[in-house]
Amino acid sequence: MEIHAPIADLRSALRNRGRVAFVPTMGNLHAGHISLMRQARAHADTVVASIFVNRLQFGPGEDFDKYPRTFQADCEKLEAAGVDVLFAPTEADLYPEPQQYMLEPPEIQGLLEGEFRPGHFRGVATVVLKLFNCVQPQAALFGKKDYQQLMVIRNMVRQLALPIEVVGGETVRAEDGLALSSRNGYLSSAERAEAPRLRREISRICDALRHGERDYARLEREAAASLDSHGWATDYVAVRQQADLLPPATPDAPLVVVAASRLGATRLIDNQEV
Ligand code: PAF
């Protein structure tokens, strides 16, 4: 696997490499990332991954400084997954001057995650657009665990007419159902044992919806109360339309249940389509 840092080096390394599929990451790779790398191979001649912990998408008081940086182990996993090129820019490579042009997503950035992490999706959209400009892929893969992020990126690509196919990869889970996430590493062993409850509450809502239940507010309230009674601090549990993440407007709109809750100092998110 080739590793490139300055943008100019990456660009010359990617000349005449055929169709490129790109998987952007912030590192600390787990099986969810690796599954995206393997899927990328089906979309391209050359698979490019990036590792960059993007300061712009972290709010004040969030975990930018303590975000796990495990570069050597990540390289070994990428190599084993058959990734051809790793783009691993430093902050000075990607932001050689303060990033003043920012990409402002529309209303979707204020919903759900955006309500609790103001500015997060502006930072995500800005770095992803910049990474796309560096790599110039024909396909890009993102995990569905970050459901709203995937939607922000799909909308960005469509609205800006970027010639990139955006592919969503299914969430990879531990045996007990916990969605894999780099932040799971922050959990104590007691918290790790408790963590699958988030997925169970989401699944319970999905089952009720499949059985025709339509009192969304009650389902959301009960799930949040159940989490909180087991020591969580829930930001939201919400039944939303898959199409735009707004509250359901018609009884037959395809739905997704999304949730974010904090267990101790760790904020976990998860979702399930119905
Ligand atoms: O999902 C992530 O890891 C990040 O938000 C991304 C897409 C790499 C942008 O920094």
Side-chain angles (χ1 to χ4, degrees):
M1 181 177 72
E2 301 165 34
I3 302 178
H4 297 283
I7 297 171
D9 290 5
L10 175 80
R11 287 217 170 108
S12 50
L14 289 181
R15 242 175 252 135
N16 304 321
R17 298 292 284 257
R19 195 178 148 86
V20 170
F22 176 42
V23 187
T25 81
M26 297 204 298
N28 194 236
L29 304 178
H30 51 66
H33 295 113
I34 299 307
S35 137
L36 292 177
M37 306 295 164
R38 296 197 195 281
Q39 288 172 60
R41 176 59 62 203
H43 292 268
D45 306 299
T46 302
V47 175
V48 180
S50 66
I51 295 180
F52 181 68
V53 185
N54 173 39
R55 188 186 290 277
L56 298 184
Q57 70 190 70
F58 289 79
E62 290 190 352
D63 55 346
F64 174 77
D65 288 328
K66 76 165 187 179
Y67 199 85
R69 286 147 171 99
T70 50
F71 189 71
Q72 261 335 307
D74 290 345
C75 287
E76 284 160 27
K77 290 178 188 169
L78 292 174
E79 183 98 54
V83 169
D84 300 300
V85 175
L86 171 62
F87 180 40
T90 62
E91 279 204 283
D93 290 324
L94 209 58
Y95 300 133
E97 54 191 68
Q99 184 71 27
Q100 289 169 337
Y101 282 74
M102 302 285 284
L103 189 71
E104 199 69 52
E107 306 83 66
I108 188 177
Q109 75 158 318
L111 305 176
L112 300 167
E113 280 303 278
E115 197 182 315
F116 294 90
R117 304 187 67 190
H120 171 66
F121 289 117
R122 180 190 310 129
V124 169
T126 302
V127 80
V128 170
L129 182 59
K130 195 158 186 176
L131 291 167
F132 282 173
N133 285 334
C134 298
V135 176
Q136 304 198 355
Q138 280 70 50
L141 293 90
F142 296 85
K144 280 194 188 174
K145 187 179 81 69
D146 295 295
Y147 202 87
Q148 193 173 359
Q149 166 173 286
L150 177 59
M151 187 169 291
V152 166
I153 290 163
R154 277 194 201 286
N155 292 352
M156 171 185 92
V157 163
R158 192 183 63 248
Q159 285 237 322
L160 298 180
L162 303 180
I164 301 172
E165 178 193 359
V166 176
V167 180
E170 293 305 322
T171 301
V172 177
R173 298 182 180 279
E175 268 184 23
D176 58 10
L178 179 65
L180 298 192
S181 162
S182 302
R183 292 190 165 98
N184 293 352
Y186 299 152
L187 297 168
S188 68
S189 57
E191 290 166 347
R192 175 62 190 81
E194 170 61 21
R197 188 180 305 280
L198 183 62
R199 152 78 162 176
R200 287 202 299 275
E201 291 298 337
I202 292 174
S203 296
R204 206 192 311 278
I205 295 181
C206 290
D207 289 344
L209 293 171
R210 279 193 210 98
H211 285 94
E213 174 65 58
R214 288 294 176 268
D215 188 347
Y216 307 124
R218 185 177 61 78
L219 294 171
E220 294 168 358
R221 225 178 20 249
E222 285 176 3
S226 163
L227 287 165
D228 293 356
S229 71
H230 288 89
W232 297 69
T234 299
D235 285 347
Y236 60 85
V237 177
V239 179
R240 293 297 168 100
Q241 302 185 145
Q242 285 180 23
D244 50 15
L245 290 181
L246 291 173
T250 58
D252 51 1
L255 300 176
V256 58
V257 181
V258 287
S261 193
R262 269 165 290 120
L263 195 50
T266 308
R267 188 172 182 278
L268 299 178
I269 62 172
D270 202 348
N271 67 78
Q272 191 177 326
E273 290 174 331
V274 184

